[in-house]
Amino acid sequence: MSSMYYRSLNGKSKKVNFETAVKNGLAKDGGLYFPENVKPLDSNFIKNIGNYSNFEIGYKVIKQFIGDSINKNDLKEILSKTIDFNFPVVKLEKNIYSLELFHGPTLAFKDVGARFMANCLGYFNKNKSKLNTVLVATSGDTGAAVANGFYKVKGTNVVILYPKNKVSEIQERQLTTNKNNITALRVNGSFDDCQKIVKKAFIDKELNKKFNLTSANSINVARWLPQSLYYFFAYKELQKENLVFSVPSGNFGNICAGLIAEKLGLPIKHFIASTNINDTIPRYFKSQVFDPKPTIQTVSNAMDVSSPSNFVRIQEMFQNFKDLSKIMSSYSFDDIETLKMLKNVYEDKNYVLDPHGAVGYLGLKKYLSINPEKIGIFLETAHPIKFSKDVEEVIKIKLDIPEEINKILLKEKKYIDIDDYSDFKEKMFVLKF
Ligand SMILES: *Cc1c(COP(=O)(O)O)cnc(C)c1O
């Protein structure tokens, strides 16, 4: 086995192995971890990718990032628990495909990263008596995927903070009906307020001493890197030249994982980062200035992020703006355009998008109008049922409710109300895990 180290992009902390990078989440100097080197895969593997199962592809892609931290058989077992569902590619137009990433247990793409991270942490903690507490702020989908992935994972408790009245009914059910080692805190405030509490908790010595806190958002390498598999799975289905991907982007973890897939040798010609009106990166591509504005609430709520954490990783990979703009473009769209796209695609193609996928489709259309020789795949990142209120209003039909959602609709919601940081801290100390 070979070693793999992660260095902090702030450059002040020591490099660490995969296990430490996962446990720390963020380096001590506040920087994001980045793999020290990314070795391209054997070109024969990519040429013959059609002969490999998703599981085999997963192992080949992921193993260099794990180094010596997990042995071969245990890594295989972790992967088999991570990707045991389908990633269909659906043709919608002559040169447009939808990559459906919502067939996991919580119906959004974050299941892969959350399950991989949960299983890695369970593995690292299996012989330890000290519990880890995973603290996570969510705008809806992350919390659900993390709750599901960490459910009954040994040695870990999960505390989820979500903003009151700002997640959909189904998202709230997914967050609050788990019990066992999962606790939901309903914060009287916005997603940003939840994130502030989490950040403050991480530097609170007293809390850290008692709870051994870990983060579970896409800054964690175990949540971020497995997302590169989607691009391999889609390539395997189509195996075409001239492929481009449009990625509905919020915190830019998913698209950054796509860029890693390209570095590993996957022949992808271009990436389109499609955003809602929280358009810091589309503006960056025009002005080369990173200038976040206050976050605005939209129908694609998982992308309501104005300061995307993972963009520093992208800048690290492409230090020269000319190189970056060769491989990546970024466009933003407002809610009116998004819902109109959703309606048109339903009426013309009988295909129901969710609002995030609709933003991805819009970005792809815009790029293909300038580059008509390309073949495009957009990532359909969530099941439309998660946003049924907006979707049903536009397409004027009732969506069928999947079995896994029906089950949770019958369960009672359980959460603890939180007002501010001191209230949070007080209630943490009386939690019974
Ligand atoms: C999280 C999320 C996104 C944004 O992904 P990032 O990796 O944060 O850019 C897009 N769509 C859905 C449905 C999501 O849950």
Side-chain angles (χ1 to χ4, degrees):
M1 257 198 272
S2 58
S3 54
M4 163 60 91
Y5 288 99
Y6 291 83
R7 61 196 167 78
S8 163
L9 291 183
N10 280 2
K12 294 199 187 74
S13 291
K14 279 204 311 253
K15 57 185 188 182
V16 297
N17 67 5
F18 178 75
E19 175 171 355
T20 307
V22 174
K23 286 182 175 165
N24 287 357
L26 206 61
K28 300 283 185 238
D29 64 2
L32 270 71
Y33 285 117
F34 197 82
E36 204 172 36
N37 54 53
V38 178
K39 269 203 312 285
L41 299 166
D42 177 0
S43 60
N44 276 324
F45 161 64
I46 299 199
K47 219 184 281 159
N48 300 317
I49 197 164
N51 300 335
Y52 292 89
S53 68
N54 282 353
F55 169 72
E56 288 164 332
I57 294 170
Y59 181 70
K60 285 211 182 272
V61 172
I62 283 297
K63 72 173 180 208
Q64 72 167 295
F65 296 107
I66 310 304
D68 303 329
S69 288
I70 302 175
N71 71 48
K72 187 173 167 179
N73 288 336
D74 288 316
L75 178 59
K76 287 188 169 173
E77 197 184 321
I78 290 173
L79 273 170
S80 71
K81 288 188 209 154
T82 302
I83 47 174
D84 60 351
F85 47 86
N86 295 327
F87 303 84
V89 176
V90 178
K91 185 169 186 171
L92 293 178
E93 294 185 40
K94 190 170 116 282
N95 59 344
I96 294 188
Y97 297 81
S98 166
L99 170 59
E100 295 186 349
L101 298 179
F102 55 76
H103 295 274
T106 71
L107 310 182
F109 82 89
K110 293 192 174 74
D111 281 322
V112 166
R115 290 170 137 211
F116 188 73
M117 182 184 160
N119 283 297
C120 287
L121 211 55
Y123 172 85
F124 296 140
N125 284 344
K126 67 178 184 293
N127 298 321
K128 305 221 165 68
S129 55
K130 196 163 182 206
L131 287 177
N132 267 112
T133 301
V134 175
L135 198 60
V136 63
T138 183
S139 59
D141 290 331
T142 296
V146 168
N148 185 279
F150 281 85
Y151 186 64
K152 293 191 177 172
V153 167
K154 262 200 211 141
T156 56
N157 288 313
V158 176
V159 177
I160 300 165
L161 291 89
Y162 71 97
K164 184 176 172 180
N165 299 335
K166 293 195 175 58
V167 300
S168 76
E169 178 61 24
I170 287 177
Q171 286 174 324
E172 184 166 34
R173 296 264 169 193
Q174 288 181 322
L175 299 171
T176 57
T177 57
N178 296 287
K179 296 192 195 143
N180 221 288
N181 62 331
I182 316 287
T183 304
L185 306 181
R186 187 174 78 162
V187 176
N188 190 9
S190 67
F191 167 67
D192 286 299
D193 296 320
C194 298
Q195 209 162 23
K196 270 183 219 150
I197 293 178
V198 169
K199 284 191 178 148
K200 207 162 164 184
F202 277 108
I203 50 173
D204 187 319
K205 290 215 170 73
E206 202 186 348
L207 269 185
N208 265 293
K209 196 159 160 236
K210 169 129 200 299
F211 294 103
N212 208 10
L213 299 176
T214 315
S215 83
N217 52 26
S218 60
I219 55 171
N220 196 302
V221 293
R223 258 210 57 202
W224 166 53
L225 288 167
Q227 301 179 143
S228 58
L229 297 179
Y230 307 141
Y231 302 86
F232 284 87
F233 297 163
Y235 180 77
K236 172 185 149 182
E237 290 302 311
L238 296 184
Q239 295 191 44
K240 290 187 193 299
E241 283 176 32
N242 273 332
L243 268 190
V244 302
F245 280 89
S246 172
V247 187
S249 296
N251 225 359
F252 281 63
N254 199 356
I255 194 166
C256 185
L259 291 163
I260 291 278
E262 198 267 341
K263 284 262 189 234
L264 289 170
L266 197 67
I268 302 171
K269 289 282 165 12
H270 203 76
F271 291 86
I272 302 115
S274 305
T275 73
N276 59 32
I277 48 168
N278 294 290
D279 63 348
T280 306
I281 302 307
R283 283 187 288 110
Y284 177 87
F285 272 81
K286 288 188 186 132
S287 65
Q288 297 180 47
V289 182
F290 188 86
D291 175 30
K293 297 193 168 137
T295 310
I296 301 162
Q297 205 171 338
T298 74
V299 292
S300 47
N301 69 9
M303 309 199 293
D304 293 351
V305 179
S306 53
S307 192
S309 317
N310 286 288
F311 197 62
V312 289
R313 285 181 167 140
I314 295 178
Q315 288 175 307
E316 173 67 21
M317 291 165 83
F318 302 93
Q319 306 211 345
N320 176 322
F321 183 72
K322 229 170 107 193
D323 293 341
L324 176 61
S325 41
K326 245 186 239 152
I327 190 78
M328 186 176 157
S329 312
S330 190
Y331 309 122
S332 81
F333 304 93
D334 64 25
D335 281 357
I336 295 172
E337 294 171 291
T338 303
L339 294 174
K340 193 168 154 213
M341 187 66 173
L342 215 149
K343 182 171 191 281
N344 288 346
V345 170
Y346 177 68
E347 287 173 358
D348 297 349
K349 304 183 179 33
N350 200 25
Y351 187 80
V352 183
L353 296 164
D354 97 292
H356 305 78
V359 171
Y361 204 147
L362 281 163
L364 185 55
K365 280 287 217 193
K366 184 157 176 174
Y367 180 81
L368 291 178
S369 71
I370 315 162
N371 301 276
E373 77 290 358
K374 297 285 197 293
I375 295 169
I377 302 178
F378 68 92
L379 275 50
E380 181 38 291
T381 45
H383 193 297
I385 195 75
K386 293 191 94 167
F387 308 95
S388 53
K389 194 169 155 283
D390 289 313
V391 173
E392 289 174 350
E393 207 174 291
V394 170
I395 65 172
K396 312 240 180 321
I397 57 156
K398 259 223 95 53
L399 298 173
D400 290 336
I401 300 180
E403 191 45 41
E404 53 270 58
I405 298 298
N406 254 327
K407 264 189 243 155
I408 57 169
L409 290 179
L410 299 171
K411 290 189 191 165
E412 187 196 351
K413 293 191 231 175
K414 281 222 159 73
Y415 50 78
I416 299 166
D417 275 310
I418 298 292
D419 284 324
D420 53 21
Y421 188 75
S422 62
D423 190 28
F424 160 78
K425 191 166 168 179
E426 213 169 279
K427 284 172 179 161
M428 280 294 283
F429 280 104
V430 294
L431 276 184
K432 295 228 166 27
F433 287 118

